[in-house]
Amino acid sequence: MKHLFKHLGLAVGLIVAAAALLLLSDLERRSPALAPGVVSSAADRVQPARSVTVAVCSPLPAPVFEQALAGLRAGLAAAGFSEGDNLRLIHRHANGDLALLGQVIQSLLTEQPDLLIPLSTPCLASALGQKSEVPLVFGIVTSPLQAGAGRSFTDHLPRVTGAVFSLPSRDTFVWARQLFPAARRIGALYNPSEANSQDEIDRLGPMLAQLGFNLQTATINSSSDIPQALQALQQQGIELYYALGDSTCVSGYSNIVRFCRDHAIPILAADGSLMGSGALLSSGPSPFAEGLHTAQLAARVLQGENPATLPFAPSTSHSLQLDFGVAAELRLQLPQALRAQLDIGYQLQHHLGRPARLALINLVENKALDAAMSGLRAGLEQHGLKPGQDFELQYYSAQGDLALLPQLYDSALQQAPDLVISLTTPALVAGVKRVREVPYVFSVASDPVKLGLFGQGRPAHITGVHDDPDIAGLVQMARQHQPALKAIGTVYDAAQPQSLLAVEKLRAACTAQHLALYEATVSTVSDLSLATRALLQRGAQALILSTDNLAVTGFGAIHQVTSAAGVPIFVSDMDLIALGATGGIGDSYSDWGRQSATQVFRILCGVPPADLPIEATRNASRVQPATAAPAASGRPRELRLVLYNETQFSEDCARGLRDGLQQAGLVEGTDYRLRQLNAQGDMSTLSSIMTSVKGEQADLLLVVSTPCLQAALRQAGSDIPIVFTGVGDAVLAGAGRSETDHLPQVTGITTRSPFEGMARLIRQTLPQAKAVGTLFTPAEINSELYREWFAAALESQGIRLVAVPVTASADTAQASAALCQEEIQAVAQIVDNTTRPGFAQIARRAAQANLPVYVFDSSQMSEGAVLCLARDYYQAGREAADKAVAVLRGTDPASIPFNNTRSETLLLNPQRARQFGLNVSPDLLHQAQLQD
């Protein structure tokens, strides 16, 4: 990077001096007219109902700012400000030249932003030096007071607030003392012209002295000074190096890592953004979390709060991170306490010298267990583990056959796994008998102690996460819903021990509340319908189902019988709410999987299972019964189905929605009237459609695609229930904070593409591939997310993603030509609304360049693609229809979690595969649907 930080001292000195003068004058003349909760004139321009512009400034492109910006975007989206809809976010940086910061900020101010977000102390100081009344919300700022933002965190300039990046973190050096008990001297480089760096150094010396360290420092003015300064520190005999987030140091961080590695000097990182490339350890604030923190404050200002009333907010969370590869190079003995508290581990493969082998044993596939598996995988990746590099997971399913479980364990154990994971109680029962020494984590199961599985005490190699269903609470809920309730029914498989445990609790609860309990046992899914009818004939006025895998898998058969008779069902499996259950108290299976992933991570880090407590699930939720009338009562319900454009994807989703409504037993014209509307790819038309839907006071709004969902959230109002499908990430589209914590009027099915599977297929069929290309649309949040997710999936296979942006469909031809001139071995086109209409041009340009095309949209196979791994959009529409039916029958959308479609389609054109010389295995030919 050339010409870094030119004229640094003079520029920043003038900035800070100007900021100080502004501060002193402004503190003297604060306006008494600004009462708490009243917004200043600049902030008063911002109205949540209309679009806003947010300008972001950073000193240079570096991981700390990239991660913070990602957190900022995610946080703003969660607060309802989505790029491409009601948010225009502009980010510019000074490319490492702090003398240019003033110009960068002036250029941002010419965009007339509603809010300016400076990332870093130098950016804040420069922003304060500008003549502007635009509100400031800062982030990644360690020294706001030194930058001139106020006298204290509560006594500050009236147009300024922000999130304080609390550094240094004492925990980092507490761990360093344990790892290096004999070390005395810690070295650090910093640029004294950066107020934050000087402030951090001033705090660092006394902190280190308390722990028996001496701080040795060397100053630099530009990154070119780093080699000489490092040599000076080495001559002072430093034994450890502390990497500050100093912008000058960050720009030359690779040189620091190289020097320290060559001289066996361990690096302690100020924050997690510096991990993963050579640092040993960090226990500081997370830049992504700080971006979220900044976004929360920014959203409050954009929604009308006065920055003058918002105190500066220090970091509240820290992340303990360790690089096992660096630890192996240093031949460190890691204390168990460190392993047990790690949040993120890098290069964990160095712990075993290879990827860890995981075996996952499951009884049966259903939505709940799919969610648990997704949560498990996501949890492992959130702990820093990369599939294929840090771990390999082998999946075994008994397909509902209990007798197969012992054989599956035997097969898994023959592969010498490092850890075994099981899902469901029957799998746990079989696993306790089969797995004798290998570390073992169970999940989605009942308490093994209550099941009597540990007759001789808890085995040292077993830990896990179990449920504790609130059966008495379900009985009370049923009674409150039906005050005249006299008899409850339940259906279960007596061969499943967790079901027997739940029924015992149900018997006790019914006895305590003086209710009759009718029981029916089943052994196959086909028995459920007849057993349910028998319960109703005996007089059951409500059903309670808990933890039974057969009942969950065949819930549709049970619900069909009870809904026809008007009998409510209360459940402990919350995914059944979306399928028609009346109410429930239970666990999030996705969170259950994530909680189990933490135990798996700890064991892979070297923590003995015996040191990890067997835990109950932490996150339980309650869904009260709805009181709304069934859809068939009274007038037909008014439904509106809104599409963004006429593509095969949209039509498939719409067709699935329509068929799903009818197959649920609803009759069009009698139970509902549905009108389909299409914006023809025009955002202004889409806006008009949503305004019309709101004016018509429709009973239910069905939307296909992210633009339609975001437009509905913005303009359809909060009174109309919304069910979506064809959306990549509903949370980042602004529909909520998580799949279970979302806006009360919204639910639906996401259709995130199977990026990991596609990355594996590209590696399999193109073993020599080093880079693949795609077009993406920065203005579409789903396209931006898909680009990031696909890049990460490809990286895990050692492949680089080359992404070329487009702004309109008309740009597709030119962008495709530019993409095909890059050094890529294939085109793998992600799905977005802008590139879809012009895909034929992408395929044509790729064919001219002799590049195979991989796609995530099955309709594109006929236009030149060689292989497709896609979601089945028709099936996604059917799944969304299930949620729509539940809403029409009275279930509150707030109680229905979002979930990704379970459907997947693999298509292959063998002729094109031969043409491009792809490596197509017999297994792939067998699995794929072949197309000409």
Side-chain angles (χ1 to χ4, degrees):
M1 194 176 293
K2 297 181 179 180
H3 311 302
L4 293 175
F5 308 113
K6 297 181 293 184
H7 313 298
L8 183 62
L10 176 60
V12 177
L14 290 172
I15 289 168
V16 175
L21 287 173
L22 285 170
L23 169 65
L24 292 174
S25 61
D26 213 329
L27 289 175
E28 293 298 326
R29 57 181 177 82
R30 294 194 179 197
S31 172
L34 285 177
V38 179
V39 185
S40 67
S41 58
D44 198 36
R45 295 194 305 267
V46 181
Q47 299 295 331
R50 69 175 181 84
S51 296
V52 297
T53 297
V54 173
V56 183
C57 174
S58 63
L60 76 166
V64 62
F65 302 118
E66 293 166 2
Q67 293 174 25
L69 191 61
L72 180 67
R73 283 192 162 102
L76 287 173
F81 296 98
S82 300
E83 288 184 84
D85 290 319
N86 61 345
L87 170 65
R88 177 178 172 235
L89 190 145
I90 309 165
H91 172 230
R92 292 172 187 165
H93 60 77
N95 203 31
D97 189 346
L98 295 191
L100 295 178
L101 278 177
Q103 298 178 34
V104 172
I105 291 174
Q106 287 173 9
S107 72
L108 287 171
L109 292 174
T110 62
E111 301 286 348
Q112 298 183 328
D114 299 292
L115 185 67
L116 177 62
I117 299 181
L119 298 179
S120 79
T121 303
C123 285
L124 173 60
S126 184
L128 292 172
Q130 307 296 321
K131 292 183 178 180
S132 171
E133 292 300 318
V134 174
L136 299 180
V137 176
F138 60 78
I140 312 298
V141 169
T142 58
S143 307
L145 305 185
Q146 286 74 7
R151 288 176 175 155
S152 71
F153 283 13
T154 55
D155 183 12
H156 55 75
L157 293 172
R159 68 184 182 102
V160 182
T161 190
V164 182
F165 205 41
S166 302
L167 292 172
S169 168
R170 190 175 188 275
D171 289 349
T172 298
F173 305 105
V174 170
W175 288 117
R177 173 51 69 212
Q178 293 190 37
L179 292 171
F180 305 99
R184 290 293 177 265
R185 290 175 293 278
I186 295 181
L189 300 183
Y190 72 103
N191 187 334
S193 298
E194 295 188 35
N196 55 301
S197 300
Q198 184 65 63
D199 186 39
E200 189 172 348
I201 288 293
D202 291 343
R203 292 196 297 266
L204 185 59
M207 179 184 293
L208 293 180
Q210 293 174 2
L211 295 168
F213 292 113
N214 295 319
L215 176 62
Q216 308 292 325
T217 63
T219 60
I220 56 175
N221 291 317
S222 72
S223 59
S224 61
D225 298 337
I226 288 176
Q228 184 177 353
L230 286 170
Q231 290 174 5
L233 287 178
Q234 185 196 14
Q235 291 170 3
Q236 295 176 43
I238 65 168
E239 298 147 289
L240 301 170
Y241 178 82
Y242 177 60
L244 280 76
D246 179 296
S247 299
T248 312
C249 294
V250 168
S251 67
Y253 186 56
S254 60
N255 293 326
I256 295 172
V257 170
R258 189 179 307 111
F259 182 92
C260 290
R261 180 173 289 158
D262 290 345
H263 295 85
I265 300 173
I267 298 175
L268 309 174
D271 63 73
S273 70
L274 300 173
M275 293 295 296
S277 58
L280 169 67
L281 179 137
S282 173
S283 185
S286 157
F288 182 85
E290 285 302 289
L292 290 172
H293 192 189
T294 304
Q296 292 168 359
L297 292 169
R300 292 174 65 180
V301 173
L302 290 171
Q303 291 165 349
E305 289 195 53
N306 184 1
T309 67
L310 300 176
F312 297 167
S315 307
T316 57
S317 62
H318 287 66
S319 175
L320 178 58
Q321 304 185 19
L322 179 83
D323 193 314
F324 283 87
V326 176
E329 290 176 7
L330 296 170
R331 298 182 179 179
L332 290 178
Q333 295 296 319
L334 301 175
Q336 285 300 105
L338 174 62
R339 298 174 186 269
Q341 295 180 48
L342 274 179
D343 296 303
I344 295 177
Y346 294 91
Q347 300 191 81
L348 187 62
Q349 72 269 23
H350 287 276
H351 179 55
L352 295 173
R354 56 169 171 76
R357 292 189 289 264
L358 309 182
L360 175 59
I361 315 293
N362 187 20
L363 171 64
V364 67
E365 279 88 12
N366 58 43
K367 285 187 175 182
L369 295 173
D370 288 348
M373 285 188 284
S374 296
L376 177 70
R377 291 190 176 95
L380 291 174
E381 294 186 31
Q382 287 174 353
H383 282 297
L385 307 191
K386 295 183 177 181
Q389 295 183 26
D390 295 313
F391 71 93
E392 296 171 344
L393 191 149
Q394 185 68 40
Y395 177 63
Y396 302 84
S397 173
Q399 301 296 328
D401 187 347
L402 292 171
L404 280 179
L405 285 170
Q407 300 175 37
L408 292 183
Y409 277 104
D410 291 344
S411 298
L413 292 172
Q414 288 176 3
Q415 303 303 314
D418 300 297
L419 187 144
V420 174
I421 307 164
S422 69
L423 299 179
T424 71
T425 300
L428 167 62
V429 173
V432 168
K433 298 175 182 177
R434 239 40 185 201
V435 182
R436 297 296 185 182
E437 296 180 355
V438 178
Y440 178 19
V441 175
F442 65 84
S443 186
V444 193
S446 295
D447 186 344
V449 175
K450 293 182 178 178
L451 291 170
L453 299 182
F454 299 160
Q456 304 299 319
R458 173 190 168 184
H461 67 292
I462 297 180
T463 189
V465 183
H466 64 80
D467 66 354
D468 187 14
D470 185 5
I471 304 296
L474 285 175
V475 173
Q476 184 63 30
M477 179 181 287
R479 190 155 205 171
Q480 290 173 349
H481 183 64
Q482 293 176 282
L485 184 67
K486 300 295 184 184
I488 286 176
T490 189
V491 57
Y492 62 97
D493 178 5
Q496 298 184 31
Q498 83 281 2
S499 301
L500 297 176
L501 192 64
V503 170
E504 286 179 10
K505 296 176 72 173
L506 181 57
R507 290 169 185 157
C510 288
T511 299
Q513 298 195 40
H514 307 290
L515 295 171
L517 175 64
Y518 301 129
E519 303 176 22
T521 58
V522 293
S523 56
T524 66
V525 170
S526 60
D527 298 336
L528 289 169
S529 180
L530 184 61
T532 304
R533 287 192 178 91
L535 288 173
L536 301 189
Q537 290 170 359
R538 294 172 64 187
Q541 299 164 290
L543 259 61
I544 289 181
L545 307 176
S546 178
T547 72
D548 187 89
N549 294 297
L550 267 182
V552 170
T553 303
F555 179 78
I558 298 172
H559 181 259
Q560 186 175 15
V561 175
T562 58
S563 62
V567 172
I569 306 176
F570 300 89
V571 296
S572 63
D573 184 332
M574 303 309 283
D575 285 340
L576 299 180
I577 299 293
L579 301 180
T582 309
I585 306 171
D587 302 298
S588 161
Y589 283 83
S590 177
D591 289 345
W592 202 337
R594 290 175 192 272
Q595 188 175 342
S596 301
T598 296
Q599 293 189 326
V600 172
F601 170 70
R602 298 267 193 264
I603 293 171
L604 294 181
C605 288
V607 179
D611 290 352
L612 299 173
I614 292 177
E615 304 173 331
T617 51
R618 300 192 190 107
N619 298 328
S621 59
R622 174 185 293 263
V623 175
Q624 295 290 351
T627 57
S633 64
R635 63 173 178 81
R637 301 293 182 88
E638 293 294 337
L639 277 57
R640 298 294 179 267
L641 172 57
V642 181
L643 281 57
Y644 179 63
N645 52 18
E646 291 180 356
T647 60
Q648 190 62 49
F649 143 79
S650 297
E651 294 298 334
D652 287 349
C653 287
R655 187 163 52 88
L657 279 164
R658 287 178 175 275
D659 288 354
L661 292 173
Q662 294 176 5
Q663 290 176 14
L666 302 184
V667 178
E668 188 167 4
T670 301
D671 297 312
Y672 67 93
R673 287 193 290 260
L674 186 148
R675 187 153 62 95
Q676 183 169 315
L677 305 164
N678 194 313
Q680 302 296 329
D682 182 74
M683 291 300 294
S684 60
T685 301
L686 182 60
S687 178
S688 299
I689 288 173
M690 293 303 173
T691 302
S692 173
V693 169
K694 181 178 181 180
E696 293 171 353
Q697 297 182 330
D699 296 298
L700 180 64
L701 174 57
L702 309 171
V703 295
V704 176
S705 81
T706 300
C708 288
L709 172 60
Q710 292 177 315
L713 296 175
R714 190 171 60 250
Q715 294 175 284
S718 59
D719 296 331
I720 300 177
I722 300 170
V723 175
F724 63 81
T725 190
V727 172
D729 190 314
V731 171
L732 291 183
R737 293 188 177 92
S738 70
E739 291 184 343
T740 54
D741 181 11
H742 54 74
L743 295 176
Q745 80 275 24
V746 186
T747 189
I749 296 291
T750 53
T751 53
R752 170 177 169 168
S753 299
F755 298 111
E756 293 79 7
M758 178 63 85
R760 289 192 294 269
L761 285 169
I762 293 174
R763 172 54 69 210
Q764 175 186 341
T765 56
L766 274 179
Q768 76 283 7
K770 296 181 178 178
V772 301
T774 195
L775 303 186
F776 76 105
T777 309
E780 292 186 31
I781 187 171
N782 57 302
S783 183
E784 183 67 39
L785 288 169
Y786 280 8
R787 179 186 64 82
E788 293 177 3
W789 291 336
F790 193 26
L794 288 169
E795 183 182 4
S796 71
Q797 297 294 325
I799 303 172
R800 179 171 58 92
L801 179 65
V802 177
V804 174
V806 296
T807 57
S809 297
D811 300 337
T812 303
Q814 183 177 355
S816 301
L819 179 65
C820 293
Q821 290 174 1
E822 298 282 348
E823 293 184 3
I824 58 176
Q825 288 73 53
V827 172
Q829 184 53 47
I830 61 175
V831 172
D832 71 24
N833 294 291
T834 303
T835 60
R836 261 196 181 106
F839 174 75
Q841 299 179 68
I842 300 173
R844 185 161 53 252
R845 294 285 187 179
Q848 292 169 357
N850 196 34
L851 295 172
V853 180
Y854 297 76
V855 295
F856 294 94
D857 186 335
S858 58
S859 66
Q860 294 170 342
M861 287 295 291
S862 63
E863 297 182 88
V866 63
L867 184 147
C868 172
L869 185 63
R871 298 305 183 192
D872 185 326
Y873 294 110
Y874 172 78
Q875 187 59 38
R878 290 281 303 275
E879 293 173 30
D882 290 341
K883 296 182 185 289
V885 170
V887 173
L888 290 172
R889 286 175 172 162
T891 303
D892 185 354
S895 69
I896 305 178
F898 304 162
N899 60 274
N900 201 59
T901 177
R902 296 182 297 152
S903 61
E904 192 170 279
T905 301
L906 175 61
L907 306 174
L908 176 71
N909 186 307
Q911 181 179 350
R912 292 190 190 122
R914 289 191 295 271
Q915 174 187 339
F916 291 108
L918 300 190
N919 180 24
V920 179
S921 66
D923 284 345
L924 179 58
L925 280 172
H926 177 72
Q927 295 169 12
Q929 299 178 35
L930 305 184
Q931 294 198 342
D932 297 329

